[in-house]
Amino acid sequence: MSAPSSLDPLLTFLSYSLLKVQDIFFQLPGSAVIARYVRSSHQNDPGRTALELILVVFAVRTLLQSRTRTDRSASNFVKLTEKEIDELVEEWVPEPFTAPLTPAEVHELANLPVIQGASGPKPKLVNTGKTVLNLASYNFAGLAGNEQIKERAIETLRKYGLGSCGPPGFYGTIDVHMDLERDIAEFLGTESCIIYSQGFSTVASVIPAFCKRGDLIVADRGVNFAIHKGIDISRSNVRWFDHNDLKSLETVLESIEKERKKKGGKLTRRFIVTEGIFENDGQMLDLPKLIELKQKYKYRLILDESFSFGTVGRTGRGLTELYNVPATQIDMIVGSIANSLCSAGGFCAGSRVVVDHQRINGSSFVFSAAMPALMAVSASEGISLLTSQPSLLTTLHENIRAFRLILDATATVCPIQIPSHPASAIVHIQYRPNAPATLQVPTATSHKLSLSPSKQSNPSSLAPRDAQEFDIELEDKLLQDVVDEALSQGVLITRAKRLRGQEPAEPRPSIRIAITAALTKKEIEKAGSVVRSALVKVLGKRR
Amino acid sequence: MTSKKRSSPSLSGKSSAAEYLSALSHKDALARNVVGVNGSRVSSPSTTPALSIASSSMYTSSSDDTEIAELVDDGLSFPSVPPTSEIVYTTRHSEFGHCSNEAYRYTPHHDPSRPVSGHVEEDPPYYILFTTYISYLLLIIIGHIRDFFGKKFYPKDYRHLMPFNGYAALNSDFDSFYTRRLKTRLDDCFSRPVTGVPGRTITLLDRVSEDELNTFKFTGTKTRALNVSSYNYLGFAQARGACADAVEESLNRYGISACGSRSQGGTLDLHVAAEALVARFVGQEDALITSMGFATNSATIPALVGKGCLVISDEYNHASIRFGVRLSGASVRMFKHNDMKDLESLLREAISQGQPRTHRPWKKILLIVEGLYSMEGTLLDLPAIVKLKQKYKFYLYVDEAHSIGALGAHGRGVADYFNIPPHSIDILMGTFTKSFGAAGGYIAGSHALVSRLRLRSHANAYAESMAPAILTQIIASLSCITGVESSAPSSALTSSHTVTAATDDSRDYRGPVPASCLPSWIELSPSLRSGEEGRVRLRRLAFNARYLSRALIKLGFITYGHADAPIVPLLLFHPGKMSQFSRLMLERKTPIVVVVVGYPATPLVTSRVRFCLSASHTKEDVDLVLDACDEIGDLIDLKHGSGDRWPLEEIKRRAVELVEME
């Protein structure tokens, strides 16, 4: 056999170099310890040596992998030559960046009302050049154009300039921001408060600040777009309950509890997310009942009060004032400073721990410039006006009542339904052929009446239990006709504009009316009858 | 403003004239004492009184604190060179520095024959890296020891971190470890509360902590400090001047709010006017304004791309872009920061492989990059990207949050800087917080695209529209940058091109805006109308930026970024040096406030301090920063750069030469 002999020099070289390596290794300080460890561990358990070797190889491999992940190693990767890639690049035709506008869309954009000069109860429109009664803009307590607020804003401008020129972390925390946070916290009766520079981005940032992957969110099916986006980005597990139906919530909570007991597992953070007055239809939450459930099942509550803060309760403190519930029982109260205080931004009120957590984890707080100083001061001034002049809210509530009186009567002669709560400052009007006259708020009692209780909705799906069928295009068109008709008679209202195609659950088309305290009862009644006649004119025939 | 004017009674500010004269006489008295030491008062051992101004004794709360502060010689309130009666400054020196030396100006330009420098990371000596890692290790070990004993002895303090009463911890001790045990140690350097204008100087509300930085107490005193931290590139953070006057007028006319979202009754004529101006300014057909910069990205990107689309994103893109991309549902791939080779190979792979698993071609590919990176100071390699775009047919989205207004000879951002026609970029996004001293952001693009966004952008449908006061600040500051065309001759012509003016190729979009685009009630002084003021601001900013970044390198520091970028990051490496640097800067005779950033905003080892220059800074202000850096750099061992070094005095003397160097 000649093969082994020809390998001899190779083997001697190998054993020589092995000795050499060993030599160098033992010259290193501390190497003896390692050698002893390896030897003894190998003696005790040879399998472990193999395992550790594999671990080392794996660690080296991980370290060597590039920072930006590529799919090149995946089995699905198709190897192509440079020429083929060039051809593919040449061939590839991307879709157009955006679809061209349809004539209807062009028309919609062209007819968007543009206000000339200040917005307020009676603005002038650029489109028509006429002054109108404004039931479209959010000016619930009538703070828009308030001289006292203006004066304070100008003072602030002369002291602080306009922009904050930086995020709160980097010299963007101005003393007036801290003042506003304190004012809101005191107003609501919470320990602490944090302000964000845009109302819409607030809740979408608050939710992912607390809810992480693996956590559980139980949310209402009818929540607004911003909440949906916050839930999307949190990547938490979501269960849905029927819109404003706390019975359904209880069923969902009960089933989760059962499941958890069966499976065991570690305690995760659990949240209930819902709205005080729902942006999409104006329904109102039964807060005491919800608090009861939340405490029973030990959930934290994220309550979006964007449309109830500043509109309900004696002085506009929101649902907590209306139901006389201490605000401390709600873990996170999210609200809009822009909507009812006629300034800009949003807030989240809660305990100190809750608020401080957001100062580091609320992405649209940390990564965005702080609110301009004069906006914060205007909001503070707005709060002090609400507290010192309860008549603002009383007028609003009277106006809501007066308007609803006319509208509810209209519902008996027109195929419309009004899902909004009688106390809600936003009033939605939906077109509903063959509808029951006025659909009152589906509270727990109405739920008992509706359908067979055995039929439950699927909590992991957004689809409601008794899905309404509606033709979006047709209803949008009819409602727009109503809006146009009202405008021609001097009342500015608007359709609830939706992002069709992007909405997680397409809400039914509606007209959204915002009642204001800045108009007198007479004017509100006049506006109401204009809306009524527009509804009758467009929809009356379609009964 | 800084331009020379015969002190004609009609032009100088009505209210400021008397004020100015009294300040002038006071200044003369001071100058007599101080000047004479080399012309630079910084080095002069002037008898500086205490910097902290007792808030109670010196003035009543109703009075304007900046006025009082002017009377205190803290090295910040008065220019080092006393003004002569020849020059009338209409700005407050504390808000916008007085500088009439025409040599301290620079017009940035890009030499197309030279490649754009990518992101060059200069490595420090190994012992620095080694000790940095050791520091983190120590911090982590000590943190865990403290947690261990803390939970034993002070369980009450840990209750909110532990499951309690059937609720899981809101933020578990593990998740919040970094914040509690590492960030808390330097919490006095973050979120320092301020008051007044964030201009050239800023007033800090002094605070102390008696419980190891967990909570702070206000002492009631204030400190005025030189501000190299705020995003105030063109110095429009002002409580006085034409912009503030216009905003006041607008508050009177429009009130505070526009009351509602853009598509639901919250659109004012001012929105339309501002959007037309912005579109012109950036050289696109149309623009859409959003009330928050963060939301401009996070609410627009989901309206542009969705499932089946690919977003290619720079690894250092801002959080708002990531937020938006995550919402959109599109696939994301990242490429190495500003690395065009990596980008091209990623593009080739993405197009040739198609969608994962199915190999279907991507519907569209959107490349999202920033014009100027806020943590790195790097400039986008736009020429290379535009070339790649022609070959690979992706759509291009450039976030100009920091570059708009701050870059280019005309302040029009990266496209202006590289002299590339703006319509070769599909979407230009930017914010008004930085260069315009306002708030919010814009999206600009073709008419069709912006119209589509008006219907699809989340913010347009649901978010509050921008407040009229902010719109006015944008309109006024933007017209200051561009100048206003006199409307006298061809008024018929100018009125016709309000929105689509930029498409008209015969006109340069970088010219002045027609007077018809401005609301008639906005009054601008002649120097603003001519655009002279804007040009001075742009050139002062460019000078300051180049001077500081080059001088720091000559002092031996390691910095990142492009020489023309107004953001200059100086590398500190050690986590402990962040707080040291920040505190030492604040404790100086003339305090300076700086921004220090570390992990997770930067990679673990490259903690840094970030200077943001402004047109409101004078050369003497930059000298101040250099003095401080030089001293502190020696003290805490920061000078690890490899290039040749100049002595500090030589740098200051040869500043102009340094800036002009290629």
Side-chain angles (χ1 to χ4, degrees):
Chain A
M1 290 294 222
S2 62
S5 63
S6 65
L7 279 177
D8 266 356
L10 188 71
L11 283 173
T12 44
F13 173 75
L14 274 178
S15 64
Y16 169 77
S17 41
L18 197 71
L19 277 173
K20 191 90 184 166
V21 168
Q22 209 174 348
D23 240 28
I24 295 168
F25 176 72
F26 280 111
Q27 272 169 16
L28 289 173
S31 56
V33 182
I34 297 171
R36 210 160 41 225
Y37 168 76
V38 170
R39 207 171 290 145
S40 70
S41 94
H42 186 72
Q43 255 169 9
N44 294 343
D45 181 7
R48 189 168 137 191
T49 317
L51 191 73
E52 279 173 4
L53 212 64
I54 293 168
L55 273 178
V56 168
V57 170
F58 186 73
V60 170
R61 190 174 149 259
T62 316
L63 282 177
L64 289 179
Q65 263 178 351
S66 68
R67 254 195 300 174
T68 45
R69 194 165 47 97
T70 59
D71 295 336
R72 235 157 258 188
S73 54
S75 57
N76 200 30
F77 188 83
V78 183
K79 265 221 150 79
L80 297 164
T81 64
E82 288 298 303
K83 198 165 154 265
E84 284 169 325
I85 295 179
D86 279 333
E87 280 171 13
L88 283 166
V89 165
E90 189 74 27
E91 276 169 28
W92 181 60
V93 183
E95 279 182 10
F97 202 3
T98 48
L101 297 189
T102 62
E105 285 169 333
V106 172
H107 179 80
E108 182 181 342
L109 281 181
N111 280 350
L112 200 71
V114 178
I115 292 167
Q116 184 165 13
S119 181
K122 291 177 209 160
K124 196 173 151 192
L125 291 192
V126 173
N127 315 44
T128 57
K130 280 191 203 140
T131 303
V132 289
L133 292 177
N134 187 356
L135 291 184
S137 310
Y138 299 140
N139 180 23
F140 303 119
L143 297 175
N146 184 294
E147 287 303 323
Q148 197 178 329
I149 296 181
K150 268 190 203 172
E151 216 169 275
R152 291 275 287 125
I154 291 170
E155 256 170 48
T156 315
L157 168 73
R158 289 311 185 181
K159 200 170 161 191
Y160 294 86
L162 186 80
S164 60
C165 291
F170 301 150
Y171 308 98
T173 308
I174 311 174
D175 47 2
V176 295
H177 293 144
M178 299 188 291
D179 292 345
L180 175 60
E181 289 176 349
R182 203 194 46 231
D183 288 345
I184 295 177
E186 273 173 15
F187 185 61
L188 289 175
T190 60
E191 197 181 357
S192 197
C193 174
I194 180 172
I195 51 171
Y196 287 75
S197 49
Q198 191 188 52
F200 171 75
S201 296
T202 307
V203 73
S205 182
V206 170
I207 294 174
F210 295 103
C211 314
K212 308 284 181 197
R213 201 188 282 274
D215 294 345
L216 180 66
I217 295 175
V218 179
D220 188 295
R221 286 205 169 83
V223 290
N224 64 35
F225 191 82
I227 296 182
H228 273 294
K229 292 297 123 185
I231 292 175
D232 276 359
I233 211 142
S234 73
R235 293 173 173 167
S236 304
N237 303 322
V238 199
R239 296 283 182 280
W240 303 97
F241 63 93
D242 286 330
H243 179 40
N244 207 16
D245 181 349
L246 296 184
K247 269 269 152 43
S248 162
L249 170 65
E250 190 164 11
T251 325
V252 172
L253 294 180
E254 192 58 48
S255 73
I256 293 169
E257 192 61 23
K258 254 187 221 151
E259 201 180 316
R260 199 175 74 85
K261 278 195 181 130
K262 208 163 64 185
K263 277 191 188 158
K266 139 173 178 283
L267 185 65
T268 55
R269 282 178 285 258
R270 296 172 302 184
F271 300 87
I272 296 172
V273 183
T274 186
E275 285 182 86
I277 285 180
F278 288 86
E279 179 175 1
N280 282 349
D281 60 7
Q283 292 195 18
M284 194 193 284
L285 174 76
D286 181 2
L287 186 63
K289 174 84 181 126
L290 180 68
I291 301 258
E292 195 183 297
L293 286 177
K294 142 199 160 39
Q295 284 172 344
K296 182 175 166 200
Y297 291 93
K298 298 196 187 301
Y299 277 68
R300 291 190 172 89
L301 173 59
I302 302 179
L303 181 65
D304 186 345
E305 289 224 60
S306 293
F307 288 89
S308 46
F309 174 77
T311 62
V312 297
R314 198 182 63 87
T315 52
R317 288 173 165 87
L319 281 194
T320 49
E321 189 179 26
L322 185 74
Y323 287 111
N324 202 13
V325 172
T328 43
Q329 297 205 342
I330 303 168
D331 301 84
M332 299 110 194
I333 302 180
V334 180
S336 167
I337 302 171
N339 288 354
S340 25
L341 296 177
C342 286
S343 174
F347 68 84
C348 176
S351 69
R352 179 148 296 126
V353 174
V354 160
V355 165
D356 286 350
H357 180 79
Q358 292 174 61
R359 295 196 195 277
I360 303 158
N361 296 289
S363 45
S364 74
F365 177 81
V366 175
F367 296 108
S368 154
M371 184 194 289
L374 69 87
M375 291 294 163
V377 170
S378 306
S380 285
E381 198 60 28
I383 288 179
S384 86
L385 282 174
L386 287 184
T387 7
S388 62
Q389 296 181 27
S391 62
L392 290 174
L393 265 283
T394 326
T395 317
L396 173 66
H397 296 157
E398 271 166 18
N399 283 353
I400 294 172
R401 224 168 297 134
F403 188 82
R404 282 302 293 264
L405 210 63
I406 298 171
L407 202 61
D408 291 348
T410 316
T412 56
V413 293
C414 264
I416 57 167
Q417 77 171 12
I418 300 145
S420 308
H421 189 275
S424 163
I426 49 169
V427 183
H428 284 260
I429 305 170
Q430 295 171 344
Y431 168 63
R432 190 155 200 205
N434 322 317
T438 343
L439 193 87
Q440 282 305 323
V441 204
T443 51
T445 42
S446 70
H447 168 68
K448 267 178 215 147
L449 300 171
S450 70
L451 294 172
S452 52
S454 59
K455 197 188 166 203
Q456 300 283 343
S457 57
N458 175 13
S460 31
S461 146
L462 250 177
R465 183 183 48 220
D466 44 348
Q468 299 176 355
E469 286 201 3
F470 46 87
D471 179 348
I472 291 178
E473 217 167 295
L474 171 81
E475 296 193 2
D476 265 345
K477 198 193 159 295
L478 285 174
L479 295 175
Q480 187 58 45
D481 288 347
V482 176
V483 170
D484 294 343
E485 178 60 32
L487 185 63
S488 73
Q489 296 183 41
V491 175
L492 177 65
I493 53 175
T494 176
R495 235 169 0 102
K497 297 288 173 75
R498 310 285 181 201
L499 300 168
R500 294 293 172 204
Q502 295 185 84
E503 298 276 353
E506 296 283 355
R508 184 159 199 157
S510 59
I511 289 172
R512 201 263 298 126
I513 284 163
I515 311 287
T516 170
L519 291 173
T520 61
K521 197 171 169 198
K522 271 239 168 69
E523 287 163 334
I524 282 285
E525 277 166 354
K526 190 183 152 211
S529 50
V530 166
V531 172
R532 177 202 172 104
S533 74
L535 282 167
V536 170
K537 184 168 173 197
V538 177
L539 301 174
K541 299 172 280 219
R542 303 184 66 96
R543 184 106 229 210
Chain B
M1 192 161 294
T2 43
S3 63
K4 292 188 184 184
K5 272 188 271 170
R6 301 291 152 209
S7 42
S8 61
S10 62
L11 289 180
S12 56
K14 301 136 264 169
S15 62
S16 62
E19 218 174 82
Y20 173 75
L21 279 176
S22 74
L24 188 70
S25 66
H26 183 74
K27 214 171 300 181
D28 278 347
L30 280 166
R32 257 174 256 127
N33 299 330
V34 178
V35 176
V37 190
N38 203 9
S40 113
R41 71 185 293 115
V42 182
S43 52
S44 70
S46 64
T47 49
T48 313
L51 286 164
S52 297
I53 315 151
S55 59
S56 53
S57 61
M58 294 213 37
Y59 52 91
T60 55
S61 56
S62 64
S63 74
D64 183 350
D65 68 341
T66 52
E67 279 175 39
I68 304 300
E70 290 274 15
L71 300 177
V72 182
D73 176 30
D74 52 8
L76 290 172
S77 300
F78 302 108
S80 60
V81 183
T84 60
S85 46
E86 289 279 285
I87 310 161
V88 172
Y89 296 104
T90 52
T91 59
R92 281 167 186 284
H93 188 58
S94 59
E95 268 175 29
F96 193 93
H98 298 167
C99 168
S100 56
N101 190 337
E102 284 297 323
Y104 300 150
R105 309 278 189 268
Y106 181 76
T107 308
H109 52 84
H110 169 67
D111 178 2
S113 61
R114 288 155 61 97
V116 184
S117 59
H119 184 44
V120 193
E121 288 191 8
E122 195 182 341
D123 284 326
Y126 277 111
Y127 81 92
I128 293 287
L129 286 181
F130 184 70
T131 46
T132 304
Y133 279 117
I134 296 277
S135 312
Y136 277 106
L137 198 67
L138 265 177
L139 282 169
I140 290 167
I141 290 170
I142 293 173
H144 279 299
I145 291 174
R146 286 179 68 183
D147 270 5
F148 179 79
F149 287 106
K151 277 181 214 167
K152 286 256 151 75
F153 297 115
Y154 308 101
K156 223 180 91 208
D157 295 353
Y158 287 81
R159 212 170 70 183
H160 64 281
L161 301 169
M162 295 288 143
F164 178 72
N165 191 20
Y167 290 91
L170 197 56
N171 191 16
S172 73
D173 59 341
F174 180 77
D175 290 346
S176 64
F177 181 81
Y178 182 84
T179 320
R180 287 182 300 118
R181 291 299 174 211
L182 281 78
K183 187 185 162 283
T184 309
R185 287 171 178 272
L186 20 141
D187 254 1
D188 62 322
C189 307
F190 299 116
S191 306
R192 287 180 180 149
V194 301
T195 184
V197 181
R200 172 181 158 267
T201 66
I202 195 163
T203 310
L204 298 184
L205 304 175
D206 297 331
R207 54 180 188 173
V208 289
S209 177
E210 288 160 0
D211 55 355
E212 293 173 359
L213 306 180
N214 277 316
T215 56
F216 293 94
K217 273 186 195 145
F218 290 100
T219 60
T221 56
K222 299 177 187 179
T223 304
R224 182 174 289 279
L226 182 67
N227 181 8
V228 277
S229 300
S230 294
Y231 307 131
N232 177 28
Y233 300 126
L234 291 180
F236 281 111
Q238 288 175 292
R240 313 269 146 180
C243 292
D245 292 344
V247 174
E248 177 169 345
E249 180 62 27
S250 124
L251 282 168
N252 280 325
R253 283 172 180 261
Y254 285 85
I256 310 296
S257 167
C259 306
S261 73
R262 280 300 299 278
S263 52
Q264 303 187 48
T267 300
L268 304 178
D269 50 356
L270 271 186
H271 288 106
V272 180
E275 282 174 351
L277 269 180
V278 170
R280 258 196 79 94
F281 183 75
V282 298
Q284 294 280 13
E285 286 173 15
D286 202 353
L288 172 63
I289 287 178
T290 306
S291 57
M292 184 196 203
F294 186 95
T296 314
N297 275 329
S298 71
T300 303
I301 295 171
L304 289 169
V305 286
K307 220 164 153 267
C309 302
L310 176 68
V311 172
I312 296 182
S313 166
D314 189 291
E315 61 174 337
Y316 289 162
N317 272 351
H318 190 253
S320 57
I321 298 176
R322 296 173 192 204
F323 199 101
V325 173
R326 236 166 95 181
L327 279 181
S328 73
S331 304
V332 205
R333 297 290 294 275
M334 298 220 267
F335 67 99
K336 265 170 87 182
H337 177 50
N338 228 6
D339 184 335
M340 292 303 120
K341 282 223 178 78
D342 194 43
L343 172 62
E344 180 160 14
S345 78
L346 182 58
L347 280 166
R348 291 176 72 82
E349 187 198 316
I351 297 175
S352 63
Q353 295 292 323
Q355 299 188 34
R357 290 166 54 80
T358 60
H359 291 290
R360 284 214 192 153
W362 294 104
K363 285 185 187 162
K364 46 195 172 188
I365 296 180
L366 178 64
L367 174 68
I368 307 185
V369 283
E370 290 187 39
L372 172 60
Y373 288 84
S374 67
M375 289 294 164
E376 319 293 318
T378 37
L379 220 59
L380 173 71
D381 188 351
L382 189 61
I385 284 187
V386 169
K387 246 183 233 143
L388 285 178
K389 178 174 155 57
Q390 278 156 5
K391 184 166 176 199
Y392 294 99
K393 295 171 277 194
F394 54 82
Y395 298 108
L396 179 57
Y397 183 116
V398 180
D399 176 339
E400 293 219 78
H402 286 269
S403 50
I404 192 69
L407 274 181
H410 309 81
R412 301 318 208 257
V414 272
D416 179 17
Y417 183 83
F418 291 115
N419 210 4
I420 283 173
H423 52 77
S424 52
I425 302 168
D426 299 289
I427 290 197
L428 284 169
M429 175 269 171
T431 60
F432 300 116
T433 321
K434 282 96 183 179
S435 301
F436 301 89
Y442 66 84
I443 292 274
S446 70
H447 191 67
L449 183 97
V450 175
S451 303
R452 173 58 64 198
L453 285 178
R454 284 182 202 281
L455 295 165
R456 276 179 68 85
S457 158
H458 302 174
N460 222 46
Y462 291 114
E464 72 250 26
S465 63
M466 186 179 272
I470 303 174
L471 290 166
T472 310
Q473 169 80 11
I474 293 165
I475 293 175
S477 57
L478 194 148
S479 329
C480 288
I481 301 171
T482 58
V484 183
E485 211 169 58
S486 52
S487 57
S490 52
S491 62
L493 242 174
T494 46
S495 61
S496 67
H497 57 228
T498 44
V499 177
T500 51
T503 48
D504 186 356
D505 279 344
S506 61
R507 300 172 57 93
D508 185 5
Y509 75 99
R510 292 174 287 200
V513 295
S516 58
C517 285
L518 260 65
S520 54
W521 47 268
I522 292 187
E523 284 175 21
L524 300 173
S525 67
S527 78
L528 297 178
R529 292 194 94 86
S530 68
E532 176 58 31
E533 164 77 29
R535 277 188 291 277
V536 169
R537 286 187 186 227
L538 284 165
R539 295 176 66 220
R540 275 178 68 170
L541 173 66
F543 176 87
N544 291 341
R546 268 175 99 87
Y547 178 35
L548 183 68
S549 66
R550 296 214 153 150
L552 286 175
I553 293 169
K554 286 284 180 227
L555 278 176
F557 292 101
I558 298 180
T559 64
Y560 282 171
H562 195 280
D564 285 332
I567 295 171
V568 185
L570 186 161
L571 275 289
L572 301 174
F573 301 104
H574 289 98
K577 285 179 185 170
M578 288 200 285
S579 53
Q580 279 306 314
F581 192 91
S582 177
R583 286 170 199 158
L584 287 169
M585 288 296 253
L586 188 62
E587 282 160 13
R588 290 181 67 79
K589 202 170 69 186
T590 306
I592 302 172
V593 292
V594 294
V595 164
V596 285
V597 270
Y599 182 79
T602 69
L604 191 67
V605 285
T606 52
S607 303
R608 62 197 68 171
V609 52
R610 186 187 61 177
F611 301 108
C612 289
L613 275 310
S614 162
S616 67
H617 294 132
T618 61
K619 192 240 172 199
E620 288 73 28
D621 294 333
V622 182
D623 286 347
L624 260 177
V625 175
L626 290 175
D627 284 331
C629 286
D630 185 53
E631 217 171 278
I632 297 170
D634 284 333
L635 194 68
I636 60 175
D637 186 29
L638 293 175
K639 297 183 176 174
H640 302 296
S642 52
D644 68 318
R645 299 186 184 181
W646 290 5
L648 179 61
E649 288 311 315
E650 188 182 348
I651 291 173
K652 288 201 229 168
R653 202 179 61 244
R654 292 169 62 185
V656 176
E657 190 188 330
L658 195 63
V659 167
E660 302 280 342
M661 268 181 355
E662 274 311 312

